[in-house]
Amino acid sequence: MLLGAHEGIAGGVSTAFARAEEDGAECLQIFTRNARGWAAKPLEAEEVARFRAEAARTAMPVAAHSSYLINAAAPDAEIRRKSWAGLADELARCEQLGIFALVFHPGSNPDEAEGLRLVAEAMAQALDAVPGKALLLTETTAGQGASLGHTFEQLAAIREGIPRALRRRAAVCVDTCHLFAAGYDLTTDEGYAATFDALERTLGLGAVKAFHLNDSKKPLGCRVDRHEHIGEGAMGRSPFRRLVNDARFAAVPAFLETELRYRENLAVLRSLVS
Ligand SMILES: [Zn+2]
């Protein structure tokens, strides 16, 4: 497992690499635009060049996280239109920057089947509109309200809804806090094994292209998304000890999203490697 964090982009996307280095990270995740607004200025050619130079200098894999406004499953046609356009635009920015994957939350819709179908259609449309190498990763969610993606079955249904020719660029990002909040218990050997057996049966372990490593402030199955520093929440250190030593994920980039104390959290994770 490559260990990194979600880094800030104040001063331009290229500045995130120096922050990642400062934190002792081996990989990083960024926003490629303002995460809380719809409007985004196109990337300037010089900033793209600086970003690519930094990526080459540091050799760190980079993922992007989409804007929080995107709800590809939205029942409201106008929000959905903006979301689908936003998803394709963000994927295009990843392609421009050479970012390997765009992570997004599938979104919410009280009609589960309809919501899953809409997410698959949004992904197909974005992948078709933006040819290239960048992957689109649906993230496992805590399952708050009507949000989709809190079971592996839902993520598999989304993936299967994408035409076969485009599906090779569709994969998943596993967030440990969200898994736990959704009811997947990683705190015991049996729970950990059962979780990844279930993932293997539904999506295949090869579909996991990134991890978000966060502890959870809230208990198992609470369906609430509140990140906590590694080992200081309801999950404790054992799930992370299992993950960082799991040979099946040795080459997969993993990002902290605790917002603060990255250096310290990375040190905790590294102390668990045996
Ligand atoms: Zn996450």
Side-chain angles (χ1 to χ4, degrees), residues 49-178:
R50 275 195 293 270
F51 185 92
R52 286 182 166 272
E54 281 292 270
R57 180 182 68 77
T58 60
M60 287 192 208
V62 191
H65 194 294
S66 85
S67 154
Y68 292 119
L69 295 182
I70 287 182
N71 180 4
D76 181 278
E78 181 57 16
I79 294 175
R80 197 164 66 233
R81 186 192 63 74
K82 281 187 183 163
S83 296
W84 290 23
L87 195 65
D89 175 63
E90 293 211 33
L91 187 64
R93 294 165 87 90
C94 289
E95 203 56 55
Q96 221 184 333
L97 293 167
I99 288 176
F100 84 91
L102 174 65
V103 180
F104 76 107
H105 298 191
S108 62
N109 188 317
D111 182 338
E112 179 184 343
E114 172 71 354
L116 297 174
R117 190 188 66 73
L118 289 169
V119 181
E121 206 175 318
M123 291 176 75
Q125 176 234 244
L127 291 166
D128 188 53
V130 185
K133 284 192 281 196
L135 308 173
L136 254 186
L137 312 186
T138 48
E139 177 172 348
T140 60
T141 64
Q144 212 154 346
S147 67
L148 304 166
H150 57 93
T151 66
F152 298 140
E153 286 76 9
Q154 288 181 339
L155 295 182
I158 293 169
R159 196 155 178 267
E160 277 148 30
I162 301 169
R164 202 164 278 277
L166 299 168
R167 208 182 290 167
R168 59 176 186 84
R169 287 168 65 208
V172 301
C173 170
V174 171
D175 186 308
T176 53
C177 167
H178 301 172

Side-chain angles (χ1 to χ4, degrees), residues 7 19 142 160:
E7 300 288 355
R19 293 188 181 95
E160 277 148 30

